[in-house]
Amino acid sequence: MTDELERLANGVLWPGFLGTEAPEWLRSELRAGLAGVVYFSQNVGDGVSALSAEILEANPNALIGIDEEGGSVTRLESATGSTIPGAAQLGLLDDPVASAQTGAELARRVRAVGANVVLGPVADVNTDPRNPVIGVRAFGDDPALVSRHVVATIDGVQHGAVAACVKHFPGHGDTHMDSHHSLPEITLGLDEFMRVHLEPFRAAIGAGVDAVMTAHIVVPAWGEQPATLNPRVLGILREWGYDGVIITDALDMAAIRETVGLGGGAAQALAAGADLLCIGNPTNPGDAAFPDQDERDFRAARDGIVAALRDGTLSRARVEEAAARVAALATKLRSAEPDHASSDAFDAAEIVRRVVTVTGEVPPVAAELAVLDARRRSTLAVDSAGSYVANALAGDGPRVRVDVASASMHEQDRALDQVCAAAETTVILVDRPDTDPAQRALVERAALRDPGAVVVNVGLPTETPLPLPTFEVASASRIGAEIAREALRGGFTAQRRTISTS
């Protein structure tokens, strides 16, 4: 009986795994009906297409998902940085055709490596500029703008014969906490939360999105449970008439792992109405990870489901319903054919050129740039401090990294002096100058040391002027850095941006 229940549980589980080859335990579970896998950066190498083929040979109905948003979040280009525009850039441009083309290109790239689910677009409305995990991953802070670009991106992705998965329902945009490390609580009034943050998800469902990912956030008016485990929250999607796949955000995140645990979270998420359980990235524990962390996490989740089925706290009918939705999506994708027309005109560089702006008067820029990278540390979701950004910006010039969150003032000033002396033009690379006083203070000291310096901001556009000319890029990506360098060196004229000081 347990083997039968394990097979049933397999149909709703979506694990990550270690390495660039499918381990034997994973191939065995795929043959036993495992729903599929999620790729993370450690899985993506030169042989990723062969890996996908191996997975699909073990289970032809496998769903292979990947966090490929463009901009600051990429798995396919994690080593070198994304060459696709990010959501904030597309929102600033506000050209739905460009968003649809970008979605189509995402689908083309994902399908080219044998995957079939894009974990995007982000439908969060980023109303809190302090947000550590969304920020430039969102199209903006206006629900109507976010909605139209979510719909356009879904259209582009799904016309590419790949499933889109909007995230993070019911909205992760109004928090300054990261659910990878804690359990954020939304303090916004319920009426305003529903009016602002639910709208893009409703629009996505109207557009026929294949999947919706949950958020590990608490909305007190809907109860104390995080949305992923809350039937009242997930029930909203069904009340809207949505019959697609509800996917959990990773269950190994602290918001779940450190509260109810992987097994308890898996069973409770299914009971709440989720259909496909993303277990997570087995490298997240860092040095504390076991060599078989992937299999341990998978078995912990499945054991929790089987135990709940056996003791009656989770009904078999609910798991069968979830597995049927997952299987229906897999069947749809197996027969889907891409419409290449929507990606024919895609030009990532031109899209980003239309977005990059500059404030202040830019002095003559020398051929060699020296970059001081003062961005915040990377998070589990976003490689916000990836070296490829500073490398692309500096070209062959020197670059120095300083973590303003931990470096002393003396260490920061030493790094600043080093960069100012290294080349004729100093570039200060930042990503949170409005919400991180240490970044702003560093720019202010740079202005005193080198009045000819410039700032490149890859985070949300500044609302309070900086004392140096500032290029606004809105994405920590390789393509963003390359276009910023092009603008700095006079390759094209960035649009002027004026910040109101009233």
Side-chain angles (χ1 to χ4, degrees), residues 33-399:
L34 183 64
V37 300
V38 180
Y39 285 161
F40 294 94
S41 298
Q42 77 269 6
N43 306 123
V44 177
D46 293 339
V48 65
S49 296
L51 172 62
S52 297
E54 184 181 17
I55 289 166
L56 291 169
E57 181 181 10
N59 180 359
N61 288 315
L63 296 177
I64 303 177
I66 187 165
D67 266 320
E68 197 65 25
E69 300 173 12
S72 301
V73 175
T74 178
R75 303 295 179 252
L76 294 177
E77 298 182 287
S78 59
T80 56
S82 178
T83 54
I84 292 182
Q89 292 174 324
L90 293 166
L92 289 165
L93 183 60
D94 198 11
D95 177 357
V97 172
S99 292
Q101 291 171 344
T102 300
E105 178 64 10
L106 286 167
R108 187 193 67 77
R109 295 187 186 192
V110 166
R111 187 177 170 87
V113 301
N116 51 22
V117 181
V118 169
L119 295 177
V122 170
D124 303 312
V125 182
N126 195 75
T127 52
D128 190 335
R130 301 170 297 171
N131 199 317
V133 71
I134 303 299
V136 295
R137 297 171 66 194
F139 291 106
D141 59 7
D142 176 76
L145 179 143
V146 173
S147 295
R148 61 179 169 266
H149 290 282
V150 163
V151 167
T153 305
I154 290 169
D155 184 65
V157 170
Q158 295 190 174
H159 273 88
V162 170
C165 175
V166 291
K167 56 190 183 184
H168 309 80
F169 184 80
H172 208 312
D174 191 61
T175 175
H176 62 278
M177 298 172 65
D178 183 348
S179 51
H180 290 83
H181 303 291
S182 58
L183 181 56
E185 182 174 306
I186 302 298
T187 57
L188 196 66
L190 185 58
D191 288 346
E192 184 178 357
F193 184 83
M194 294 178 69
R195 177 180 58 80
V196 173
H197 295 277
L198 295 190
E199 183 178 332
F201 294 96
R202 193 191 296 268
I205 289 170
V209 72
D210 284 323
V212 177
M213 178 173 280
T214 66
H216 304 328
I217 60 168
V218 173
V219 181
W222 288 327
E224 297 180 355
Q225 293 173 299
T228 298
L229 312 181
N230 191 327
R232 188 172 178 184
V233 176
L234 301 191
I236 292 171
L237 294 168
R238 303 305 181 199
E239 290 168 6
W240 289 346
Y242 179 63
D243 197 38
V245 178
I246 297 177
I247 302 176
T248 69
D249 205 347
L251 296 178
D252 69 346
M253 291 161 62
I256 303 297
R257 185 193 283 272
E258 295 181 10
T259 54
V260 297
L262 269 174
Q268 290 182 38
L270 284 166
D275 302 307
L276 183 58
L277 311 182
C278 176
I279 296 174
N281 186 347
T283 67
N284 282 349
D287 293 340
F290 292 96
D292 60 345
Q293 189 70 50
D294 50 357
E295 186 176 4
R296 286 175 182 243
D297 287 351
F298 164 72
R299 297 200 182 281
R302 189 174 67 182
D303 289 350
I305 295 169
V306 170
L309 284 167
R310 296 181 70 181
D311 69 19
T313 54
L314 176 63
S315 77
R316 181 173 184 137
R318 169 77 272 274
V319 184
E320 289 173 340
E321 175 189 51
R325 286 200 181 102
V326 174
L329 177 57
T331 299
K332 171 187 172 180
L333 293 173
R334 282 192 72 180
S335 61
E337 292 293 334
D339 172 9
H340 296 292
S342 55
S343 64
D344 288 347
F346 179 74
D347 186 337
E350 186 55 33
I351 289 172
V352 177
R353 286 189 193 99
R354 293 165 63 193
V355 174
V356 171
T357 61
V358 62
T359 57
E361 296 300 322
V362 181
V365 175
E368 186 177 57
L369 309 179
V371 176
L372 178 59
D373 184 356
R375 294 171 296 157
R376 58 181 164 165
R377 302 173 190 172
S378 296
T379 69
L380 292 177
V382 185
D383 188 14
S384 50
S387 60
Y388 44 76
V389 177
N391 292 346
L393 189 58
D396 294 329
R399 76 280 286 169

Side-chain angles (χ1 to χ4, degrees), residues 393-430:
L393 189 58
D396 294 329
R399 76 280 286 169
V400 175
R401 168 75 179 152
V402 62
D403 182 358
V404 295
S406 61
S408 67
M409 189 76 71
H410 174 71
E411 290 169 328
Q412 293 179 41
D413 286 345
R414 185 172 58 191
L416 181 58
D417 289 341
Q418 181 182 347
V419 169
C420 289
E424 291 184 40
T425 297
T426 300
V427 180
I428 312 297
L429 177 60
V430 296

